[in-house]
């Protein structure tokens, strides 16, 4: 069912003429990638700017309220591995901080303060140095956090937010952040944000090249204030400006209901600190209600913390290995299950291209043990682990430190996990009347298992 949305179709002072451009959409939507569409829109906007500068106006507030950050990690996010002493001397002789580099930084600083037209501060430049060093790794998952950004990261994994009530991840094709799912009964849903909306701007600031943390920092704000997201939505001829009012959002990361034939349906939206306890509670309810089969929905689950997915896995898996990691030196860490809560009914796991990281750890283990049928489309393919290292000045750095492997030793990074049965979601039908053909197929499979 389509959500009603509040959308300002006036982009920089001009009305989007959807009807006039509808034929254009039909002509290109089957041949252009999302990246090509975005580039075409940008060129069109720049061309319009040259011809009619004053008519463009000023974008007022883009990018809808604080989206829940997606932390695609495999390491305990809230357990900084080590405290790095700020100002400590490098432990290696092969250091970038040579006298030549220090002198060049000083020269750049002097030039900025003498010639740069805009305003800046020592704090801004210092933060830029730290962020620039980590950015130079070319790893979208490694980040430097200021103390404020670190607090945002902590909040995002605790399950309580001041924002809009949506999850975000990286769009693999365009490298922009995108909405992976919207929490029901939240400002994001009321404003009309949808899964797969690509976030192009937040309150007029381009998000190109930004990490999820950067985007969250732009979107986050005080309760009852507005934020506007400029999004690209497939099928539209121009961007949409959607304004959302920030509210306190308590994210129900786990939801449960009993379907016909005593088939339990449990959805995990994201693996946060609260997820393990929430799942334990809901699976216990399902068992009390006479569960004869289980549908575990991990679609659009972008990941989360390792500790929470391990807690969930221990409520389902047989005795044995859940996942193991190997670092750059080949050192291996193993995470195991004692099998005391092994699931004893048939299970189908729903996955898609937005099922990433921690959700791939769980679905990969289920597939390896053969205790459930994976249904949907190939998962995202994030098989690397990050760890946050706190710094004594209150900042932190998150670094990719290892690969993780499924119990059978599969490295899914950049590949994803192939479902046992591939089935695309019929998006048109879902938007038309809420029909979920993947869920219907999962139910059909389990009813067959129950009847045996």
């Amino acid at each position: 069912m389509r959500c009603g949305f509040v959308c300002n179709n006036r982009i920089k002072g001009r009305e989007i003429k959807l009807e006039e451009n509808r034929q254009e959409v039909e002509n290109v939507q089957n041949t252009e990638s999302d990246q090509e569409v975005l580039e075409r829109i940008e060129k069109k906007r720049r061309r319009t700017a040259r011809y009619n500068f004053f008519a463009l106006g000023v974008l007022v507030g883009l990018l809808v309220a604080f989206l829940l950050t997606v932390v695609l990690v495999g390491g305990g996010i809230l357990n900084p591995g080590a405290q790095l002493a700020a100002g400590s001397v490098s432990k290696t002789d092969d250091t970038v901080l040579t006298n030549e580099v220090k002198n060049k930084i000083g020269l750049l600083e002097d030039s900025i303060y003498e010639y740069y037209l805009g305003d800046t501060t020592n704090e801004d430049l210092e933060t830029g140095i730290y962020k620039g060093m980590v950015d130079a790794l070319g790893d979208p998952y490694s980040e430097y956090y200021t103390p404020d950004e670190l607090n945002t990261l902590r909040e995002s994994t605790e399950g309580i937010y001041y924002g809009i009530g949506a999850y975000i991840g990286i769009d693999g094709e365009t490298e922009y952040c995108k909405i992976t799912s919207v929490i029901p009964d939240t400002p994001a849903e009321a404003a009309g944000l949808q899964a797969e909306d690509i976030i192009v701007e937040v309150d007029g600031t381009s998000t190109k090249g930004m990490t999820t943390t950067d985007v969250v920092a732009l979107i986050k704000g005080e309760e009852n204030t507005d934020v506007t997201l400029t999004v690209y939505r497939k099928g539209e001829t121009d961007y949409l400006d959607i304004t959302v009012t920030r509210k306190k959002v308590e994210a129900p990361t786990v939801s449960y209901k009993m379907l016909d034939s005593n088939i339990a349906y449990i959805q995990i939206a994201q693996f946060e600190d609260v997820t393990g306890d929430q799942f334990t509670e809901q699976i216990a309810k399902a068992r009390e209600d006479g569960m004869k089969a289980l549908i575990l929905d991990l679609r659009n689950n972008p990941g989360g913390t390792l500790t929470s997915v391990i807690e969930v896995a221990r409520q389902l898996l047989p005795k044995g290995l859940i996942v193991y990691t190997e670092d750059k030196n080949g050192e291996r860490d193993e995470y195991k299950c004692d099998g005391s809560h092994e699931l004893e009914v048939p299970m189908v796991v729903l996955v898609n291209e937005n099922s990433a990281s921690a959700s791939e750890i769980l679905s990969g283990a289920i597939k390896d043990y053969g205790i459930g049928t994976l249904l949907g489309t190939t998962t995202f393919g994030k098989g690397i682990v990050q760890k946050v290292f706190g710094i004594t000045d209150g900042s932190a750095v998150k670094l990719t430190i290892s690969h993780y492997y499924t119990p059978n030793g599969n490295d899914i990074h950049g590949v994803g996990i192939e479902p046992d049965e591939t089935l695309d979601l019929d998006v048109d039908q879902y938007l038309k009347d809420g029909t979920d053909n993947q869920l219907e197929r999962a139910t059909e499979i389990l009813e067959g298992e129950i009847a045996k």
Side-chain angles (χ1 to χ4, degrees):
M1 187 185 313
R2 288 188 182 273
C3 301
F5 62 88
V6 179
C7 174
N8 178 5
N9 281 337
R10 184 173 295 278
I11 306 297
K12 292 195 174 184
R14 56 193 172 89
E15 195 74 25
I16 304 175
K17 299 180 180 179
L18 294 176
E19 291 302 325
E20 293 181 13
N21 291 327
R22 190 167 304 281
Q23 186 62 46
E24 178 185 354
V25 175
E26 292 175 353
N27 290 337
V28 302
Q29 63 184 358
N30 293 325
T31 60
E32 286 186 305
S33 67
D34 286 343
Q35 179 65 48
E36 290 169 334
V37 174
L38 283 169
E39 290 175 355
R40 179 170 53 78
I41 292 174
E42 286 298 329
K43 289 179 182 178
K44 184 176 180 181
R45 285 157 65 94
R46 287 195 295 270
R47 188 165 61 247
T48 303
R50 288 197 298 270
Y51 294 137
N52 194 0
F53 175 80
F54 292 105
L56 293 179
V58 178
L59 274 177
V60 180
L62 302 170
L63 286 146
V64 178
F66 167 49
L67 293 167
L68 312 184
T69 183
V70 41
V71 186
L72 302 180
V73 303
I77 271 281
L78 292 183
N79 298 316
Q83 284 288 1
L84 309 178
S88 61
V89 180
S90 173
K91 295 181 180 180
T92 175
D93 293 332
D94 186 19
T95 177
V96 70
L97 294 176
T98 62
N99 287 333
E100 182 180 358
V101 170
K102 293 176 183 177
N103 290 336
K104 189 169 184 177
I105 290 174
L107 177 63
L108 291 174
E109 181 183 20
D110 290 343
S111 299
I112 289 170
Y113 280 122
E114 184 169 356
Y115 300 111
Y116 177 58
L117 183 62
D119 295 326
T120 191
T121 65
N122 284 341
E123 182 180 2
D124 293 336
L125 296 179
E126 183 182 349
T127 298
I129 291 172
Y130 305 145
K131 284 185 176 291
M133 177 173 283
V134 179
D135 287 346
L137 300 175
D139 177 13
Y141 304 111
S142 292
E143 298 181 59
Y144 168 80
Y145 300 108
T146 65
D148 287 343
E149 290 170 343
L150 183 59
N151 287 334
T152 296
L153 179 66
R154 288 192 175 113
E155 290 174 3
S156 73
T157 59
E158 289 172 356
I160 299 176
Y161 310 83
Y162 287 92
I164 62 171
Y167 295 100
I168 61 173
I170 299 294
D171 181 69
E173 181 182 349
T174 66
E175 297 185 355
Y176 280 91
C177 286
K178 70 176 180 180
I179 295 172
T180 58
S181 61
V182 176
I183 298 172
D185 301 320
T186 61
E189 183 184 64
L193 284 171
Q194 299 178 10
E196 302 301 321
D197 282 348
I198 295 174
I199 304 170
V200 180
E201 294 179 358
V202 178
D203 282 341
T205 300
S206 173
T207 62
K208 188 172 185 178
M210 287 189 177
T211 65
T212 54
T213 302
D214 293 332
V215 174
V216 167
L218 289 176
I219 296 171
K220 184 181 178 183
E222 296 182 0
E223 190 174 11
N224 296 320
T225 59
D226 290 343
V227 62
T228 303
L229 302 184
T230 297
V231 302
Y232 162 70
R233 181 174 296 165
K234 187 181 291 290
E236 299 290 351
T237 59
D238 211 329
Y239 300 147
L240 305 176
D241 290 348
I242 303 178
T243 300
V244 185
T245 301
R246 302 175 177 102
K247 298 289 183 181
K248 182 178 180 180
V249 177
E250 296 187 17
T253 63
V254 181
S255 59
Y256 155 71
K257 61 183 176 181
M258 186 64 77
L259 306 178
D260 294 339
S261 303
N262 278 48
I263 297 174
Y265 170 85
I266 296 180
Q267 180 185 46
I268 304 177
Q270 185 163 330
F271 290 96
E272 300 172 347
D273 285 356
V274 296
T275 304
D277 288 340
Q278 289 180 0
F279 183 82
T280 300
E281 179 182 351
Q282 299 302 334
I283 194 71
K285 285 183 180 178
R287 286 178 167 127
E288 291 173 3
D289 293 342
M291 171 179 64
K292 293 182 179 180
L294 172 64
I295 296 173
L296 182 62
D297 193 345
L298 299 179
R299 292 175 296 181
N300 300 315
N301 181 321
T305 66
L306 178 62
T307 51
S308 64
V309 71
I310 294 301
E311 289 174 2
V312 171
R314 287 173 176 159
Q315 297 295 318
L316 298 171
L317 297 181
K319 183 177 180 179
L321 193 62
I322 299 172
V323 66
Y324 68 92
T325 65
E326 287 185 0
D327 65 14
K328 64 191 297 184
N329 299 315
E331 294 187 13
R332 174 166 166 162
D333 287 324
E334 297 183 346
Y335 301 86
K336 298 181 178 180
C337 176
D338 62 13
S340 60
H341 301 285
E342 181 179 355
L343 188 69
E344 297 179 348
V345 298
M347 173 170 56
V348 171
V349 182
L350 297 176
V351 294
N352 65 7
E353 63 278 4
N354 293 321
S355 303
S357 192
S359 59
E360 291 176 294
I361 289 177
L362 182 57
S363 55
I366 290 171
K367 183 173 183 178
D368 280 5
Y369 281 110
I371 63 169
T373 299
L374 267 61
L375 171 68
T377 55
T378 303
T379 62
F380 183 85
K382 181 180 183 291
I384 50 179
V385 178
Q386 286 72 46
K387 193 169 189 177
V388 175
F389 297 88
I391 302 174
T392 52
D393 64 357
S395 60
V397 61
K398 182 178 73 177
L399 297 173
T400 298
I401 61 167
S402 59
H403 274 264
Y404 74 76
Y405 301 86
T406 70
N408 288 347
N410 297 317
D411 181 0
I412 59 91
H413 190 64
V415 179
I417 301 172
E418 291 282 345
D420 298 301
E421 180 176 327
T422 299
L423 178 64
D424 291 323
L425 177 68
D426 187 338
V427 177
D428 291 338
Q429 191 64 42
Y430 181 79
L431 292 175
K432 180 179 179 181
D433 60 15
T435 299
D436 186 337
N437 64 306
Q438 292 175 328
L439 181 59
E440 289 182 343
R441 175 56 183 154
T443 302
E444 180 183 338
I445 291 172
L446 293 175
E447 286 177 340
E449 291 291 325
I450 293 172
K452 287 181 180 179

